[in-house]
Structures are given as structure tokens and as C-alpha cells.
Amino acid sequence: MVAPKTTELAPSGPKNVSLQRLGRWLLAFAFCGISGLAGLHAAGAAEPADNLVKNPGFGQDSAKPGTPANYVLTGDVEYRYLGDPNREIAPWGVALRSGPGVGSSAIRQGSIAQTVSGLDAKPGRWFRFSFRGLPQTLFAVDGDRLVMQVDFFADGGRTSFDSKAKPLYHLVQQDRKDLSVNGDGRTGGAAVWRTYALEFMLPSPLVDQVRLKVAFDHGNTAMSAQSEFFVSDFSLVRIAGPLPAEAGNPRPADARPANLLPLGGRWFYQAGAGETAAPKVFDHTNADRLIYHDDKWSAPFAGSMSAWLRAGDIGLDGRVAPKDQFVADNVTVSFDATSLIIHTKSLPNHPTGRFPELGGGNPNYIEEQLATYYIPLNPVENPRHVATATDNSNRALPMGPIGIAANGVVFFNPFDAGSEDASNLMDYCCGHPNQDGLYHYHKYPICIYSPWADEGTGHSPLLGWAFDGFPIYGPYVKAGILAKDATGADGLNDFNIHFDAERGWHYQVTPGKFPYIIGGYWGTEDPRNSPGGRGGRRGPPPGRGPPPGRGFGPPPPGPF
Ligand SMILES: [Zn+2]
């Protein structure tokens, strides 16, 4: 682990924060949690309006207090706020409990399920069931008996068809093995908030109802302590099927969509019938048609353009938000001849820490703010590029934003300052706000949505772009192999970049290994992104006081 040496200062310098305090919370390395929701958002996915699940945020049933509306709970499960309300912005959901001394059953088992009725197979029979899960450190089952499952029914539930189940516990174990080094602070140990997903085809056109379930069994043997697996954010969305649709075929992710209009670089617009031009602006309503080509044809922004301004965050009006507000257009994008232009309000779209932190931690708020970043469409290697020295003595990368994820949250370089333990200074998603209220990542943020769930079964999906235009991918270079451990052509150089035929030059994140995200610009940064060159970013409102009426009890159940 490289000791951070350099103070992270925005061009405008710290505001309302002593340097000593700044140094303390800026130390970011050792313990940032590896939570996340590596997401699954291919074309057609997952803006809230597309979700066929009722009450995806696990709001409480007003008729049956203490239970989530529209769900059925069985066994050793508990409905509650899934985090420490003093320290985390977490969702409501259900905890599956393993370990001794829970309930009356000799064998720990339980489930959370929702039945979705009225499905119409005519527009297509392919769907994706996904949810967010977070295993606590000691959660364990025998075998692979943590599963997500879909049960099929016809005739309004009177006729039962087959089921399709996907074991998940081996993925939990893989994350613990590969990603704990990314950081394991907070109360969750090596816990990982991430998205688990199952794609399936209705087994018959007669099927009009599915039961979506997360279940576990044999959760207690050999366990010395109780532990939990958190479940929230159920989602069921239609996805494109294989062409030609054929039962049992895996959906080919590399199938080129029809009617593509080139936008520059690796980008295309998937035109509808009769359309001859691309929209000028892409937002949450058409992000599923904004296609990126690498080894797949994906829609990296689909499902990632909306976010929540959380109660306690600061909105564009400079005030502390009294309650959660949905921000549909957190990210929009457009193109000019040379650049992908990303407009972002800079709000994270995933669970975060609660900022400002209690007890002398990070004193800053997460602030909604307007920023525009330019990503070169046709990046080329800069022959004079310089890799970042491990002590940052050469200042190869600027402080402040150096790239941006597809959810509109920026990446910073590896360097922070300070000498005190920083275990509670970054949140579960490896992010925190700086003195300008700008939430940002210093290392692999598993939380961000990406087009496919990263199960380590092949090259990781796209996460975002560095300001030189080269894309940034997740940690795996091939099945079971982390890029940071790879050698030969698969290995990364000091910039954390390498080349392959499908992706060209691309960075890959290196959990637990310097420089974590990128180690310098391999290409040339668009100067409009450099400190002082960014248009439209607003600073924090001057002289704001403590937030009025901000409580630290659990927030009310609601969509997350
Ligand atoms: Zn790679």
C-alpha cells in the first residue's frame, strides 16, 4: 500500500475547512469499502418506469406495518433499514440471517419473493431479474444454497411451470477473495453491495405470471456467529432476446443491433423506424439507444442517468434537501465532432455514506452541481506521456477530476493527504465529497452501474472514461484473472492500460494495487476538463450553516 503524500486541493482551495481537518478526511486509501452494485444495464434496461416490480424500494405496507408491501417473507428474514442510519444512506430491504441462535428452526433458511402478474409474452419473452445484495462478513451457507429464482405460472397463477434458479454464494466468495483488498472498512467487513442478475426467457407463451425470489437454505452449520445477507431493489425489465429468438440460447451480447447511425468513435445511435438522424441530447428516455461498441454492443448509460438527491444533500438551490428527491436527468450526454460531452449534476446513484460525517469525519456535504466534461472520441497515444510516480513527485495527473464513470460521478487520482487512520472517511462505494461538495471515487467503485454484471467470468465491463478519451474497465481481464495479476499481453503497464483487439487501448482498475484506477494519461487530456477549464461548475453556497432539521434516525422507507 502506497502512503498518500499529496494534499488533494481543488483549484479554489479548501472552504470553511481547516487544513488539518482536510488532511484527516482526505486520507483515502486503506479502508474504503467495496460495496456496490455492479449493475446490469444493457439496452432497454432499467429506468424506474421500465421496472415491472411493484415497490422496488421495499416501502412499508401501510396495511401491515413491519412488512414491505407486495412481498412475501418466509423463514429467518427480517425487514428493516439495511445500514447504520448514522453513517450510511442505505436502502430498506430484507436481511437473510445465517448463524446460530436465530429463530426456532434448526436449519437456517428463508426467502423474500414477489409475484408479478399480467405479463404479456407477445412483445418478447426475455426478461432480466436483478436485485442489490450485500453479504455481511460472516454470512455463510453450505454448498451454493443462496439463490435467486424465477417460478413460472400461467392462467393467472393456476398452472405452474418450471423454475429457473441461479446460485449466488460462489459469487459472494469470489468477491471476498478478489475484492476485499479494495478495502474493508465500516461495519460490513468485506461486504459488497452489488447487483445480482438472472436473465431468462418465459418457457411458454402461455406464461403470464412469475414469482421472483431470493432464498437461502442450510445457513447455519459451522457458523459461530449470526450474519446477514441484505436484499433490496428488486427489478424486472424486458430485454432484447436472441435473434432469431430460440429457447435455451444465451442472449448473444455481441450481436450487432440493427439500424445503427455512427456518432463518432465507438458510438452509435440505434435509430427507430423511419429515423434518419440521432437526437441532439441523450437522457434517461433514450439512453438505451446510445450504443457503445467494444467486444459487445452495449448501452453504457442506460439505467445510469438518474439519481436521487438524498435528504441531507445540498441541491442546486444551495439548500439542504429536506427529503429525497428523484433527479431524472442527473446525467445527459451529447456529441460534437470530436467529443462525447457529458453533462452531470454529480449525484451518486447508489448507496453512500452519510455526509457530513458525525464525530469529526468528513465535514462536507454531497452537493448537486452542474458540470460538463469532454471525452475525446478518437483517443491516441501521447508519445510524451508520463506515468504517475508512486509518491506523486512528478504530478503526472492533476488533482480533481481525471475521468468520469457512466453514472456521472468523477474519478480522482490516487493521491490524498493525511496521516491518521481514514477507515471511516470513505464510504462503501469508495467515494466521498470534497471541499466543493463534489462526490468522487479514488478506486474501483463496484457500486456504479455498468452494462453487465461483472461476475468475473470474462473481461470486465466498461466503467467510464479518462479525460484523455480512453475507456476504463473493471478488474477482470479474463475468467478468474484480475488484470493486476496478469502478465504478458494481458498485463497492465504503469498507466494501468493495455491493448486488445476489441477494446483498443483501455485502462483497467486494480483493486488494492496502485494506481487503482489510472496511472497517468496515456493520451492527451481535453484541456476543457482541466482545473479552471471546466465550464458551468458551480461552487458551494457561501456561509451556509448547519442543516436545518436534519435527523439521524432511520429515514422512512421509500424508493432507493
Ligand atoms: Zn483489458
Side-chain angles (χ1 to χ4, degrees), residues 459 476-477 498 500 503 506 508:
H459 197 287
Y476 292 98
V477 68
H498 68 174
D500 71 34
R503 300 167 192 81
H506 61 282
Q508 291 202 242

Side-chain angles (χ1 to χ4, degrees), residues 244-307:
E246 188 180 337
N249 271 2
R251 200 169 64 90
D254 56 353
R256 182 187 170 110
N259 303 327
L260 293 184
L261 304 178
L263 297 171
R266 295 174 171 271
W267 293 97
F268 298 84
Y269 173 60
Q270 186 178 13
E275 273 188 302
T276 56
K280 291 211 164 23
V281 177
F282 291 89
D283 60 18
H284 65 99
T285 65
N286 56 6
D288 58 332
R289 291 173 172 271
L290 178 55
I291 306 295
Y292 187 85
H293 183 215
D294 46 18
D295 61 320
K296 306 177 180 74
W297 301 84
S298 66
F301 287 104
S304 295
M305 298 188 117
S306 302

Side-chain angles (χ1 to χ4, degrees), residues 19-175:
L19 275 172
Q20 183 188 9
R21 208 174 180 199
L22 188 71
R24 283 193 56 217
W25 70 262
L26 285 173
L27 178 64
F29 277 93
F31 294 100
C32 116
I34 53 172
S35 83
L37 23 141
L40 252 282
H41 287 270
E47 290 300 334
D50 300 327
N51 190 352
L52 300 170
V53 164
K54 292 194 180 75
N55 190 21
F58 283 70
Q60 186 163 245
D61 189 341
S62 55
K64 277 172 66 182
T67 64
N70 307 107
Y71 294 88
V72 175
L73 282 58
T74 68
D76 294 320
V77 304
E78 183 185 13
Y79 170 58
R80 59 182 168 82
Y81 184 72
L82 299 177
D84 177 346
N86 291 322
R87 304 204 311 183
E88 295 159 57
I89 304 294
W92 279 73
V94 169
L96 315 182
R97 306 191 291 191
S98 74
V102 182
S104 57
S105 168
I107 294 178
R108 300 288 156 256
Q109 56 79 32
S111 67
I112 170 74
Q114 177 172 143
T115 298
V116 179
S117 305
L119 290 181
D120 181 2
K122 282 196 207 71
R125 287 160 62 183
W126 281 87
F127 294 84
R128 179 187 300 113
F129 167 34
S130 64
F131 73 96
R132 282 180 189 169
L134 186 155
Q136 297 298 290
T137 313
L138 297 175
F139 178 83
V141 294
D142 294 337
D144 210 348
R145 290 183 170 110
L146 171 69
V147 299
M148 61 191 305
Q149 182 170 324
V150 184
D151 304 325
F152 301 104
F153 303 91
D155 304 322
R158 285 184 292 274
T159 306
S160 181
F161 281 72
D162 217 349
S163 298
K164 180 161 182 176
K166 176 176 177 175
L168 301 176
Y169 189 60
H170 68 285
L171 297 174
V172 172
Q173 293 173 301
Q174 174 177 278
D175 287 344

